[in-house]
Amino acid sequence: MKGLIGVLGGMGPAATVDMFNKFVTFTSAGSDQEHIPLIISSIPDIPDRTTALMHGGASPFPVMADYMKRLEAAGAECIVIPCNTAHYWFSELKDACDVELLSIVETTMDEVVASGKRRIGLLATNATLYMGLYQKGIEERGLECIRPDEESQKQVMESIYALKAGELPRAKQMMVEQANALFARGAEIIVLGCTEVPVILADAVSANPEKYVDSTGALVRAGIRWYEERVGKRCLLTK
Amino acid sequence: MKGLIGVLGGMGPAATVDMFNKFVTFTSAGSDQEHIPLIISSIPDIPDRTTALMHGGASPFPVMADYMKRLEAAGAECIVIPCNTAHYWFSELKDACDVELLSIVETTMDEVVASGKRRIGLLATNATLYMGLYQKGIEERGLECIRPDEESQKQVMESIYALKAGELPRAKQMMVEQANALFARGAEIIVLGCTEVPVILADAVSANPEKYVDSTGALVRAGIRWYEERVGKRCLLTK
């Protein structure tokens, strides 16, 4: 159907809920019928992305491609993936995709550049860091990338996996500490470069939205803009 | 795929987010892969259910049936519909459905009976009240159903449509007042018989869960139990 957006989710489920909620709350809609049409796959048996890249685990690519094609078959005309690490396979997925596929890394980098800040903190998975998904874009633009040190990065990963296991309070305590450490080291703004992180830091982001670039939020805004263009109608809430 | 649950949502989108969030947070899962597989349709162009039933508007049935069949085509083995009013068409949908279809009214009534309470308040749409979706079940069991009076019911409807238009604070103020009025009239427990209501009253329910029967929560628990039986694994969090 015209303008249907497919969400290739489940990586993890809580981050997919967060994306869905942002699609609903970022939209200016006076009734049910004015909201953006979505079809969401939250089938979480996709092999762990970090384990595949860092520890030789099974590749998630075939399963991701399968679920992506099912969204296309259900009528999706544009696909978004609320998982940064999964974007390591972005160009392969794009090759396999017959409809529009938006990149979370590109849309997030657009918001980093638009912020005008120069010292950019980064909270992401080991694999996203190792693959340089964000550092490349940040450094190519002459900006400085501030990453957690080795010990701190262990805490970031522990926090992400705590959320995946449903332990939000523990996840939050660890992640707030790591965000504060990046600010203390001079970060002017922090890229939440893993879609679990905006869930974990929801209160901090809500209190100081200007201090964070939320990758999920950036991808949702790009999705809503794609929809506006497709159907010729304004619906992105810009308050 | 084995155990895939289809969510026929978009009625409205915020209630569908609430259901998705409950599937994730009611599940005891140690990792992404242990969560329940879901495919969610949030295509909100389904004609308004209350308008169809009370004011002769277009029937939502053909569009609901179409989206339900798409979920089946995508592999869903069980379907749930996070909208009480839509259950007016439940038996027609069940006839058209080739997989399991769970009823929000039946699963909610099971929780009402399990509560052991006798004076049951009811917050629902005009159409759900008019069709007697809950009153029948309540009165058949010899329990008393306490509904808002005419003037109060106007506030309930205004609150529900305020949420659909993204105005949560206004919706909340009106609905809290109506819930308190039902308690003041002797309700021991209130059935949240419209899936927007648990979103609007989330704080009140969280503070006093024993005072409410949340229809979305009841349907999610029934969905998780269906999944447990299908795959032979325990995953409903029973804390």
Side-chain angles (χ1 to χ4, degrees):
Chain A
M1 77 171 288
K2 195 169 174 182
L4 184 62
I5 296 179
V7 177
L8 177 55
M11 303 178 280
T16 311
V17 172
D18 185 43
M19 164 167 271
F20 185 12
N21 188 47
K22 283 171 176 156
F23 264 112
V24 175
T25 55
F26 289 4
T27 305
S28 150
S31 67
D32 287 355
Q33 291 73 20
E34 290 176 19
H35 278 275
I36 292 188
L38 298 169
I39 176 106
I40 301 166
S41 169
S42 183
I43 309 183
D45 63 356
I46 300 170
D48 188 86
R49 287 63 58 195
T50 296
T51 306
L53 289 169
M54 305 298 285
H55 311 292
S59 168
F61 175 75
V63 186
M64 284 197 287
D66 175 18
Y67 296 165
M68 181 181 75
K69 299 308 283 182
R70 291 196 208 190
L71 292 172
E72 284 182 39
E77 295 188 339
C78 173
I79 289 176
V80 290
I81 309 172
C83 174
N84 285 271
T85 313
H87 280 67
Y88 174 75
W89 293 271
F90 184 77
S91 46
E92 281 172 86
L93 287 167
K94 196 152 181 95
D95 286 345
C97 188
D98 290 314
V99 298
E100 183 81 51
L101 182 64
L102 301 177
S103 158
I104 200 169
V105 179
E106 282 174 30
T107 56
T108 301
M109 280 309 302
D110 289 345
E111 297 201 354
V112 169
V113 171
S115 77
K117 305 293 188 204
R118 304 207 59 83
R119 295 170 62 88
I120 318 295
L122 179 57
L123 291 170
T125 62
N126 289 348
T128 294
L129 294 176
Y130 184 74
M131 304 304 156
L133 284 184
Y134 281 101
Q135 298 98 301
K136 280 182 203 158
I138 290 172
E139 288 162 7
E140 270 170 18
R141 287 168 177 85
L143 309 173
E144 184 185 349
C145 182
I146 304 175
R147 296 167 41 168
D149 60 30
E150 203 176 322
E151 206 44 52
S152 296
Q153 182 59 26
K154 280 186 192 157
Q155 294 291 305
V156 171
M157 284 307 277
E158 201 174 322
S159 167
I160 291 169
Y161 281 91
L163 181 76
K164 287 176 184 290
E167 300 171 45
L168 177 59
R170 196 167 75 87
K172 193 166 155 179
Q173 195 183 357
M174 286 187 280
M175 196 66 84
V176 164
E177 211 171 288
Q178 298 318 318
N180 288 340
L182 293 180
F183 287 129
R185 286 174 52 206
E188 296 170 87
I189 201 164
I190 295 179
V191 171
L192 310 181
C194 163
T195 55
E196 260 85 20
V197 182
V199 180
I200 300 168
L201 292 183
D203 294 340
V205 175
S206 164
N208 294 102
E210 74 289 355
K211 292 170 76 176
Y212 301 92
V213 178
D214 166 5
S215 57
T216 306
L219 185 54
V220 167
R221 279 182 283 270
I224 297 177
R225 281 192 301 267
W226 173 87
Y227 177 80
E228 290 180 330
E229 207 157 293
R230 180 74 180 95
V231 304
K233 183 174 101 174
R234 293 278 306 143
C235 47
L236 181 60
L237 208 61
T238 48
K239 64 170 183 193
Chain B
M1 79 171 286
K2 195 169 174 181
L4 183 62
I5 295 179
V7 177
L8 177 54
M11 304 178 278
T16 311
V17 172
D18 185 44
M19 164 167 270
F20 185 12
N21 188 47
K22 282 171 177 158
F23 264 112
V24 174
T25 54
F26 289 5
T27 306
S28 151
S31 67
D32 287 356
Q33 292 73 20
E34 291 176 19
H35 279 275
I36 292 188
L38 298 169
I39 176 106
I40 301 166
S41 170
S42 183
I43 310 183
D45 63 356
I46 300 171
D48 188 86
R49 286 63 61 195
T50 296
T51 306
L53 289 170
M54 305 297 285
H55 311 292
S59 167
F61 175 74
V63 186
M64 285 197 289
D66 175 20
Y67 296 164
M68 181 181 76
K69 298 309 282 183
R70 291 195 207 191
L71 291 171
E72 283 182 40
E77 294 189 338
C78 173
I79 290 177
V80 290
I81 309 173
C83 173
N84 286 271
T85 313
H87 281 66
Y88 173 74
W89 293 271
F90 184 76
S91 46
E92 282 171 86
L93 287 166
K94 197 151 180 94
D95 286 345
C97 188
D98 289 315
V99 297
E100 184 81 51
L101 182 64
L102 301 177
S103 158
I104 199 169
V105 179
E106 281 173 30
T107 55
T108 301
M109 280 308 303
D110 289 346
E111 296 201 355
V112 169
V113 171
S115 77
K117 305 295 188 201
R118 305 207 58 82
R119 294 170 61 88
I120 317 297
L122 178 57
L123 291 170
T125 62
N126 289 346
T128 295
L129 293 178
Y130 184 74
M131 304 304 157
L133 285 182
Y134 281 101
Q135 296 100 300
K136 279 182 205 158
I138 291 172
E139 288 162 8
E140 269 168 19
R141 287 167 178 86
L143 310 173
E144 183 185 350
C145 181
I146 304 175
R147 297 167 41 168
D149 61 30
E150 203 175 324
E151 206 43 52
S152 296
Q153 182 59 25
K154 281 186 192 155
Q155 294 291 305
V156 170
M157 283 308 278
E158 201 174 324
S159 167
I160 291 169
Y161 281 91
L163 181 78
K164 287 176 183 291
E167 301 170 46
L168 177 59
R170 196 166 75 87
K172 194 166 154 180
Q173 196 184 356
M174 286 187 280
M175 196 67 85
V176 165
E177 212 170 288
Q178 298 317 318
N180 288 341
L182 293 180
F183 287 129
R185 286 174 51 207
E188 296 169 88
I189 199 163
I190 295 179
V191 171
L192 310 180
C194 163
T195 55
E196 260 85 18
V197 182
V199 181
I200 300 168
L201 291 183
D203 295 340
V205 175
S206 165
N208 293 102
E210 74 290 353
K211 291 170 76 175
Y212 302 92
V213 179
D214 166 4
S215 56
T216 307
L219 185 55
V220 167
R221 280 183 282 271
I224 298 176
R225 281 192 301 267
W226 172 86
Y227 177 81
E228 290 180 331
E229 208 155 291
R230 179 74 180 95
V231 304
K233 183 173 101 172
R234 292 278 306 145
C235 46
L236 180 60
L237 208 61
T238 47
K239 66 172 180 190

